[in-house]
Amino acid sequence: MSTSRPSSWVAQTLIETPLGCMRLAVTARGLGGAWFEGQRHHPGELNAPDVPTHPWLVQAREELSRYWAEPLAAAFTVPLDPAGTAFQQAVWSALRRIPTGHTWRYGQLATQLERPNAVRAVGAAIGRNPLSVIVPCHRVLGANGSLTGYAGGLTRKQALLNAEGVKVPA
């Protein structure tokens, strides 16, 4: 994953998912965005042509389709280029280490990053994750195992976890 901001979007497309429309966008270095329409921190209108045949958009769409069909067997290998600070990049990288069908707590993630007192900062970085589903921020739960925060909405978070076989108390 890149540690710098994408200089510009190269291509974008809108795809249908079981949880609503998702905007995918690529830079010259990889997939920089995968946002559910209407989610918090969605960048809004992007200055990029609609090119659904761009190879990385095709790859991301295919990998997401496999995820929706069989979450426990799916893998994301599309090159990634999310824009964020060094700390956000570290958090997003750590999120990718959470296995499908498992969850971590915010505090556990902060400890993994050797920043045990940075739980709130970790939560803020998770909330800014520009690669929904692909960088699995939905797999992070509150300290007591409760369903908390998700920029795409708690209904989507619950649906993603259910699809992965994770049972979370309502």
Side-chain angles (χ1 to χ4, degrees), residues 91-170:
V91 170
W92 301 335
S93 181
L95 288 171
R96 296 192 72 213
R97 294 193 298 268
I98 305 173
T100 306
H102 293 84
T103 59
W104 287 0
R105 308 292 194 268
Y106 289 95
Q108 183 180 1
L109 190 55
T111 299
Q112 287 282 322
L113 294 166
E114 298 179 358
R115 303 278 303 271
N117 296 324
V119 175
R120 285 195 174 119
V122 165
I126 290 170
R128 292 286 183 167
N129 170 25
L131 293 164
S132 294
V133 181
I134 295 166
V135 174
C137 55
H138 61 277
R139 295 183 190 145
V140 181
L141 303 175
N144 63 359
S146 63
L147 199 64
T148 60
Y150 185 65
L154 290 181
T155 301
R156 284 188 181 121
K157 183 173 185 169
Q158 182 74 65
L160 290 163
L161 291 171
N162 286 346
E164 294 181 10
V166 175
K167 301 299 177 217
V168 179

Side-chain angles (χ1 to χ4, degrees), residues 18 61-74 76 163:
R61 183 173 46 247
E62 289 172 354
E63 290 177 355
L64 283 163
S65 290
R66 282 193 290 275
Y67 174 84
W68 301 123
E70 199 172 351
L72 296 177
F76 294 104

